[in-house]
Amino acid sequence: MSFDVHQVRAAYPALAEGYVHFDGAAGTLVAESVADAVATTMRSAVGNRTTVFEPGRRSNRIVEAARAAVADLVGGDPAGVAFGPSATALTYTVARALADTWTAGDEIVVSRLDHDANVRPWVQAAGRAGVTVRWAGFDPATGALPAAQYADLIGERTRLVAITAASNAIGTRPDVAAVARLAHAAGALVYVDGVHATAHLPTDAAALGADFYVTSAYKWSGPHLAACVAAPATWNALAPDKLRPSPDSVPDRFEFGTLSFELLDGVRAAVDHLAGLDPAARGSRRERVLASQAAAHAHSSALFGTLIDGLRAIDGVTPLPAPAGGCPTVSFRLDAEPPAATATALGDERICVYSGDYYAYEYFSAMGLRDTGGAVRASIYHYNTADEVSRLLSAVSERALRLGVGAGDYIDAHERSTP
Ligand SMILES: Cc1ncc(COP(=O)(O)O)c(C=O)c1O
């Protein structure tokens, strides 16, 4: 396994602007090859899809290549990769189509750990169909989403379980495979939100037991486009509203209107880029993606350990609890300061961190933190460095000092250990 962060950083032209990006959970920078692919496609003779002239055949090939790329990234059948503008839009599409198969008295299960994009579309669809919503809760003391509770939540009327592969607020990775086994034993489908997880980990949607796995390319070095992956037979069982003349085949019938060919080529380029993060990786693109994601994860996890230890050492900083082994994303508060003020102060130092509830609406509501501004989120991506972690910790420590809550612990310790 090999991973050279400086080589990796060279692939991201926007890093030259000098910002420190701990905002990857909200969206990463794109790799140069992605920007090139988008621009090249836009500069090329690319027509709308047809088989009767070459520029139209080109767009067909772009779509096919993008489906194959996403299938290599998350596992699955390229013929079951549906594209849409965002994970939110795709989830609404699937929720509406699935709800047409539900009858009053059926049940679905959603979780309070999830981003609202994997909650509200289901709750609203259930409301219209007279379907009961059951809620899985997380443990506020640990940030875990216990899989065992699903044994009580899932019953013979359960039609769907919606669950995240990783929390975008605190990084928790629930035992999705265990939950999926319970769901499948009851005949329910499992919709997995992989938007946060895909950026950080090797992904095998089938091993998770996902009947649907949704992911957004702008979280993993790609453009603003999303994909939902399911078996073709699973798509085939659903009949979304669609135009009369548009294709009835799957996954095409879930893709409304003309696809963005330039962004699709960017998606293909992003997966190719990810496959090359570990230059020592060999084999098929799927194998190289898995090896590269593992190498990138090892790098990010090491930085994350330093970040968490450093945050804990600063007086006045409270990281929100999260179980070990999650994605490298932490939410914290600095004493009583509103999170937006902390994030703005860090932003003034050219350090990008997010603040608020980041649409983890149920999580922050249950934690009682929504009304007081949520939290500050720092998320590590594979282009981050140990120096950047140090800069963030110093800036938080200085901020704590300025607020009169910290003792400058991090700065002191850092300076003592730096000759
Ligand atoms: C875990 C998670 N799910 C869903 C979404 C929504 O993704 P999109 O912006 O593609 O709709 C996000 C976006 O931040 C997310 O972090």
Side-chain angles (χ1 to χ4, degrees), residues 171-186:
T172 303
R173 292 169 57 203
D175 188 349
V176 174
V179 172
R181 278 193 293 277
L182 292 168
H184 290 154

Side-chain angles (χ1 to χ4, degrees), residues 25 86-89 115 117 164 166 168 193 195-196 216 218-219 226:
S86 65
T88 304
H115 186 287
T164 192
N168 68 318
D193 178 348
V195 175
H196 191 67
S216 274
Y218 73 97
K219 310 285 191 182

Side-chain angles (χ1 to χ4, degrees), residues 70 183 206:
V70 171

Side-chain angles (χ1 to χ4, degrees), residues 9-10 52 134 139 146 151 156 167 238 251 269 274 295 298 321 324 338 359 396:
R9 285 173 71 82
V52 301
R134 300 210 177 278
D139 179 346
E156 58 183 23
S167 156
L238 302 177
L274 295 176
Y359 287 21
V396 174

